[in-house]
Amino acid sequence: MPPNRTPIVEKESSPPGAPSHSSVTNNKFLPPRVISQMLGLPYIDKLPEPKPPRNLKRGDFDRLVGSWGKQYSVVPIEGDEQRVIVATSEPLNTQIFDEIRLCYDLPVKVVVTSSDEVAKAINAIRTSLMNDRSAQLSDEKGNNNQESDAPLKIDVTDAEDDDAPIIRFVNAIIFKASSERASDVHIEPYEDSLKVRFRVDGILHEVSSEDRGFHAAIVSRIKVMSGLNIAEKRLPQDGRIGIKIAGKEVDIRVSTVPTQFGERVVMRLLDKTATVLDFEQLGITGRVGDLVNKLITKPNGIILVTGPTGSGKTTTLYSCLAKINSPELNILTVEDPIEYQLSGIGQMQVNPKINFTFASGLRAILRQDPDVVMVGEIRDQETAEIAIQASLTGHLVLSTLHTNDSAGAVTRLIDMGIEPFLVSSSVLAVMAQRLVRRLCVACREEYQLSDAELIEIGVNPSQITIRRAFRPGTKECQLCQNLRYLGRTGIHELLLVDDPVRSAILQRLDSSSIKRAATTQGFLTLRDDGANKIFQGVTSVEEVLLATHEE
């Protein structure tokens, strides 16, 4: 605070006999016009279009026209290098004028108006702000508002003009997420802000921070688009939005949950027109790729893919189905949800509300004379038993399990209540996988791996001569927008149920013992596959260690 403090409020000199400020402080119920006369402040019936200065020295402009403006019924409407003009319906609250003066570091002139006029001015400024945000989000990728609005337009009856900026903002967020390859959009309210984050290649990045006052309108707009109850704010809700973005059909799964500061929204984007990736693109190469190619042509048995949520298990199964898809085979799936549409394959989506589960769907599929069956996930003993019976009666069954590694899938089935002899005779192989980010080829840097790094990734330094690898670069890069990574690939381990592994299963040995039995037959772990991709320059040591930290 400077020693010679600038005046907080400028006003015309009070007329003779006018009451002092202290004499009206208790008149809380007097109209603003009367208080303005008593204080000698100018009164304005209708405010002009607000054009507040945004060059704040301290503080945040969004908060000034958001939470502060509403709470204290005050709004900056004009300003220059000499002063800031502030309109208020509560001129007795001098503390807020002092705060505004500190924000701008300029003297403040106060004018009085009605609370309705203050609210209109705040809404006008916030509308302008939201329009600016929407334009900025679109312009960052070189797209104008018309381009992003057209494919996302959804009919909403009785939409008010004031809602248009919110509609454009939500559309711009979805369009930007799609163009930046985001898999998820997070809209998160906090005490004094609203943050928007995108998950790109598995990592969350903040893309926007707004005033929390926009939160209710944005959430309501998303709820309208996804068919949710906009009045229900106390319970979690799930919905879906089906839209087109630049000619692509995109299915958005919407989830809302109540939190301390309001509802948090997560939107998961699924490109329904995306092509199924081949094994090379998925990172299934070398010995693992050759073995998987042989396994998926078997007439019967179970092939399991394991890994945590979001590790690409379903994508791998789709690639397997696409590879064997032919007119000679009847391929049926039961999924939750159907993430890709595969031509020539019958796909069903579970619906627990009508008791259509994986188990009941699988039973129905077996009456459809299938050759190959894909079950989205084995979640319980009933589904596991039906899948095993299907594999033993001449069907090839592909499915997923949530386990940390390949050997853990075997013990998980036994824990579910499946007899070891059934597991050993029906399961052909289990493949565990993780996703790692690909290094950006435009800015990656070559270097030599140290002994410590080699030991960490499971390589004996004395047994290797070539230590060439790559790590994230430091130079400016337009290709990856300085994220240093671009896209993802998989690292895999394939556990074949051969004689040594089958013997370990029958003895009910733990997953570590099963893994040791497989190692005698050339079994390679996730970290081994990750090390190969490090030497190929595909990914970095940090990514592999992060993905395999539980190994």
Side-chain angles (χ1 to χ4, degrees), residues 79 126 282 369 412:
R126 286 158 64 80
L282 293 175
D369 184 32
R412 173 66 58 85

Side-chain angles (χ1 to χ4, degrees), residues 63-77 85-90 93 96-97 100 108 110-111 115 118-119 121-122 125:
R63 188 184 299 122
L64 186 60
V65 296
S67 54
W68 282 10
K70 288 185 175 181
Q71 182 178 354
Y72 300 108
S73 190
V74 60
V75 58
I77 57 172
I85 300 176
V86 172
T88 182
S89 64
E90 299 179 8
N93 192 354
I96 188 62
F97 307 140
I100 295 174
V108 173
V110 177
V111 298
S115 58
V118 172
I122 290 174
I125 295 170

Side-chain angles (χ1 to χ4, degrees), residues 65-207:
V65 296
S67 54
W68 282 10
K70 288 185 175 181
Q71 182 178 354
Y72 300 108
S73 190
V74 60
V75 58
I77 57 172
E78 197 178 323
D80 52 31
E81 295 180 356
Q82 303 299 320
R83 65 180 180 178
V84 177
I85 300 176
V86 172
T88 182
S89 64
E90 299 179 8
L92 299 178
N93 192 354
T94 57
Q95 182 180 357
I96 188 62
F97 307 140
D98 198 15
E99 295 291 343
I100 295 174
R101 186 194 69 80
L102 289 172
C103 285
Y104 284 105
D105 200 19
L106 289 172
V108 173
K109 178 180 178 180
V110 177
V111 298
V112 185
T113 189
S114 66
S115 58
D116 287 344
E117 284 296 303
V118 172
K120 286 180 183 177
I122 290 174
N123 286 338
I125 295 170
R126 286 158 64 80
T127 297
S128 175
L129 275 175
M130 190 54 77
N131 283 332
D132 292 347
R133 300 282 196 223
S134 301
Q136 179 185 358
L137 287 168
S138 297
D139 290 344
E140 283 179 7
K141 280 293 179 181
N143 301 299
N144 56 38
N145 283 334
Q146 291 181 347
E147 187 177 0
S148 61
D149 280 350
L152 290 165
K153 189 157 286 186
I154 295 176
D155 291 334
V156 181
T157 57
D158 300 327
E160 298 290 340
D161 289 342
D162 288 344
D163 294 335
I166 298 297
I167 293 173
R168 285 195 292 271
F169 178 78
V170 173
N171 290 353
I173 284 288
I174 295 174
F175 188 87
K176 181 178 172 67
S178 177
S179 12
E180 294 192 358
R181 303 178 298 105
S183 60
D184 301 86
V185 177
H186 292 240
I187 297 174
E188 306 163 342
Y190 295 96
E191 186 174 8
D192 57 358
S193 65
L194 175 70
K195 296 191 184 300
V196 179
R197 297 196 291 171
F198 291 170
R199 187 178 294 279
V200 181
D201 293 335
I203 306 297
L204 280 170
H205 303 278
E206 184 175 326
V207 296

